[in-house]
Amino acid sequence: MTAKRKAWARRALKWLANRALFPIVEGIYAAGFTLVGRLLRPGVRLSPPTGRDRVLVIAPHPDDETLGCGGTIALHSRAGDHVCVLIVTDGASSRAGGLGREEMRRLRHDEAASAMSALAPVELIRLALPEGRWEPEDLQAPLSALIERLKPTLIYTTSCVDFHPEHLKVARVAAQALDALPERTEALIRIYELQVPLTPVLANVVVGISAAEGAKWRALAEYVTQAGSFEWVPRHARYLRKLYGMRSTIEVFWELRPGEYRLLMSRCAEVKPRFRSIRLRPFSDGLAWLMALRARVYLKGIAVGKAHHA
């Protein structure tokens, strides 16, 4: 077979997979999530923005804020909440498109600004710490100062329910920075998903984002360098609708008090979970939900003070 024919065959197989095989696999999973949702009836609280909150969103990379809670950010802003988005790193370690570190840094800086313009009016702060090359103290001081200034009532951030080292690192520093909040504060922490499902074991808050879904997709479209890594997003959104019995697109969160979040992050290392992410192709989607379920149960126990050392 000539090189030309091989290239044609590869394109044909890719087209067939995208148009026939992948939708079939996704449909099977979607039916499974529908069945599980009807059997389990997972308990979550619908929590639309009130317009009375000061919101801080902590994103390890440019695009994490939109992937994890972009629709919710837009709704908070529309409701009249003050929203501050803190993007911690420059995202320059991405090798998408074969771009060098400096070029990627520049592009992702510009993409973040364009994405927030498309999403909602927010206060955008880009620390631009060099991805993979920063120390906890580089974030600790500015984040603590920001929390002190904003006095947020809602903080959206990552947690140890993740696999990416930068996401985990930011979560550990965030837990330390929360010491700036007085114990009497009414602030709440909302952990968002980034390719690792919270699952009904942990998720306890849902925000319906149908009114802001278009804004979320427009914001994601601004992250041109990362576009190839977003193929899982609509598929995951479909599974969430089926599992939680919602007609509209939703974003799900694990809501904790600051003390519970600090306790979770201080003890999660003892669990050593091996989470699996949702991949670009749908074949292993179920594994992302099923792997480390026992770890999720234990982490929940830690957060609410019911887990003990083995």
Side-chain angles (χ1 to χ4, degrees):
M1 185 180 292
T2 66
K4 187 175 182 179
R5 288 184 177 179
K6 287 181 180 179
W8 182 89
R10 284 195 296 269
R11 288 195 297 270
L13 287 173
K14 184 177 180 180
W15 181 91
L16 185 63
N18 285 324
R19 295 298 182 91
L21 180 58
F22 295 165
I24 290 173
V25 175
E26 179 182 341
I28 292 172
Y29 275 122
F33 280 109
T34 299
L35 178 60
V36 171
R38 289 175 178 173
L39 291 174
L40 293 183
R41 298 185 180 277
V44 289
R45 185 180 86 254
L46 283 167
S47 182
T50 64
R52 299 188 299 272
D53 284 304
R54 296 179 302 279
V55 179
L56 172 60
V57 179
I58 305 171
H61 303 98
D63 74 20
D64 286 339
E65 78 296 324
T66 305
L67 287 169
C69 53
T72 302
I73 290 172
L75 292 177
H76 275 301
S77 181
R78 293 177 189 181
D81 294 328
H82 176 80
V83 182
C84 177
V85 175
L86 173 68
I87 300 178
V88 176
T89 74
D90 57 13
S93 291
S94 172
R95 291 295 174 262
L99 298 174
R101 189 176 184 95
E102 286 306 311
E103 180 68 3
M104 182 61 73
R105 173 189 174 95
R106 182 186 66 79
L107 288 173
R108 298 196 76 176
H109 181 277
D110 294 342
E111 288 173 352
S114 298
M116 292 305 95
S117 294
L119 188 63
V122 302
E123 177 186 356
L124 175 60
I125 300 174
R126 288 164 289 189
L127 288 184
L129 299 180
E131 183 181 2
R133 303 178 182 179
W134 59 280
E135 299 300 326
E137 54 266 26
D138 297 330
L139 174 59
Q140 175 74 53
L143 180 54
S144 296
L146 181 59
I147 290 175
E148 181 65 26
R149 173 173 69 84
L150 290 177
K151 295 179 173 55
T153 56
L154 276 177
I155 299 176
Y156 292 86
T157 188
T158 55
S159 74
C160 56
V161 186
D162 211 307
F163 66 96
H164 197 294
E166 295 287 87
H167 299 175
L168 297 169
K169 192 174 178 181
V170 168
R172 287 192 289 268
V173 177
Q176 296 168 1
L178 288 176
D179 287 334
L181 291 173
E183 289 300 323
R184 65 181 181 278
T185 185
E186 294 301 317
L188 293 171
I189 312 301
R190 287 184 178 175
I191 296 166
Y192 55 81
E193 299 179 321
L194 288 174
Q195 285 191 261
V196 176
L198 290 168
T199 78
V201 173
L202 301 176
N204 55 10
V205 166
V206 165
V207 177
I209 65 164
S210 58
E213 187 175 5
K216 177 171 181 171
W217 278 109
R218 287 191 295 273
L220 282 177
E222 295 295 336
Y223 287 109
V224 178
T225 61
Q226 307 303 304
S229 63
F230 296 156
E231 294 181 22
W232 61 274
V233 179
R235 201 167 72 241
H236 182 59
R238 182 184 181 189
Y239 297 158
L240 289 177
R241 290 195 302 270
K242 299 295 184 181
L243 178 61
Y244 292 99
M246 303 290 180
R247 293 185 178 181
S248 65
T249 302
I250 61 174
E251 290 172 342
V252 302
F253 306 99
W254 184 14
E255 184 177 276
L256 298 171
R257 296 288 181 184
E260 294 171 334
Y261 182 77
R262 290 195 299 266
L263 182 61
L264 171 71
M265 293 307 303
S266 69
R267 290 187 56 195
C268 63
E270 68 193 51
V271 184
K272 298 180 180 178
R274 297 186 62 183
F275 294 111
R276 185 181 178 89
S277 66
I278 300 171
R279 309 295 172 85
L280 294 182
R281 304 293 178 257
F283 301 109
S284 63
D285 283 352
L287 292 177
W289 292 76
L290 293 174
M291 285 185 64
L293 269 182
R294 291 183 63 184
R296 288 176 173 87
V297 171
Y298 193 75
L299 289 172
K300 183 176 182 178
I302 287 175
V304 298
K306 294 182 179 179
H308 304 281
H309 291 286

